[in-house]
Amino acid sequence: MSEPRFPRSVYGRGDEPDARFSLANERTFLAWISAGLALVSVGVGLESLAVTLHPGYRLAASVLLVLAGIACPVQAWFGWARAEVALRENRPLPFTPLLAALPVLLVVAGVLVLLGLVVQ
Amino acid sequence: MSPDAGLQPERTSLAWQRTALALFVVGLALPRFGWAQLGGWSWLAAALVVAGGCLLALRGRRRALAPRASPGVDGRLPLVATLVTVLVGLLAAVLLAG
């Protein structure tokens, strides 16, 4: 029996799942990675906008977006690992807290930008 | 017996390519936006991120098309992608703080 693949906490458990589910899990992981990169890009890009934004609100929105952008890859990794284990053990997929929080974070960032546009 | 994965490997391979592309764009933007705070380090950061992107493009395609039980289909490439993306986020935080 060969060494289980890295990480052992995932591949040391259960059996090989349906390839389609495992691939879907991998694409979900990549979607979270892409989301993180997009959020960070917008957070930094806000600073470069030619539109006049109140600096306090602009910074607040940027910080919020960058923090969300750092949370996404963290969720990507742990979400992928937990989901892969669930697939291998034929159990229900775990819930993703960030999935519920993300729309709220985005709306708050949007409101901050709007305030930055309105307040002078 | 696992059914044929159909078009899923192709979709997954493309997803790796798109992520690699996003990393290229972000990596190349680092010296542009980060010069004031990072100076020459922004070039090193850019090289790291772009190298990560290359790794994702090449390895991602291979692992997506390989049988799922292969030794190459493990958590190493996802971990690399995670660490590079977290690095980008931390650098962005540095940019905002500066």
Side-chain angles (χ1 to χ4, degrees):
Chain A
M1 174 64 111
S2 52
E3 275 270 320
R5 294 169 273 163
F6 167 83
R8 211 169 305 182
S9 53
V10 170
Y11 293 102
R13 295 163 66 171
D15 305 302
E16 202 58 37
D18 188 320
R20 293 169 299 176
F21 300 151
S22 183
L23 287 166
N25 188 23
E26 194 159 308
R27 286 197 308 278
T28 307
F29 165 82
L30 290 173
W32 278 112
I33 295 288
S34 299
L37 290 173
L39 286 168
V40 166
S41 301
V42 174
V44 172
L46 265 183
E47 298 287 307
S48 317
L49 270 186
V51 180
T52 334
L53 284 177
H54 183 281
Y57 286 111
R58 184 211 296 258
L59 185 64
S62 292
V63 167
L64 187 59
L65 290 170
V66 168
L67 287 178
I70 295 176
C72 284
V74 176
Q75 163 58 38
W77 169 257
F78 289 106
W80 173 81
R82 290 172 66 201
E84 196 72 15
V85 168
L87 289 173
R88 294 181 72 85
E89 295 182 339
N90 212 15
R91 288 190 286 103
L93 294 175
F95 173 66
T96 310
L98 193 54
L99 206 55
L102 199 56
V104 177
L105 293 174
L106 288 177
V107 168
V108 172
V111 168
L112 287 171
V113 171
L114 277 175
L115 287 173
L117 283 169
V118 167
V119 172
Q120 291 303 333
Chain B
M1 171 73 76
S2 195
D4 179 11
L7 295 169
Q8 302 274 349
E10 187 172 335
R11 289 180 65 189
T12 312
S13 174
L14 287 173
W16 282 107
Q17 307 310 313
R18 283 199 308 270
T19 312
L21 196 58
L23 281 177
F24 291 152
V25 170
V26 167
L28 292 175
L30 281 172
R32 160 90 172 75
F33 285 91
W35 188 258
Q37 284 88 1
L38 300 171
W41 292 103
S42 60
W43 285 109
L44 175 64
L48 274 175
V49 172
V50 170
C54 292
L55 206 62
L56 294 198
L58 295 169
R59 292 283 166 145
R61 179 183 175 279
R62 193 179 327 170
R63 82 182 261 131
L65 300 178
R68 278 277 108 179
S70 313
V73 181
D74 57 8
R76 285 174 305 167
L77 197 63
L79 186 61
V80 168
T82 305
L83 292 175
V84 170
T85 309
V86 169
L87 173 68
V88 168
L90 292 175
L91 289 174
V94 167
L95 260 57
L96 289 182

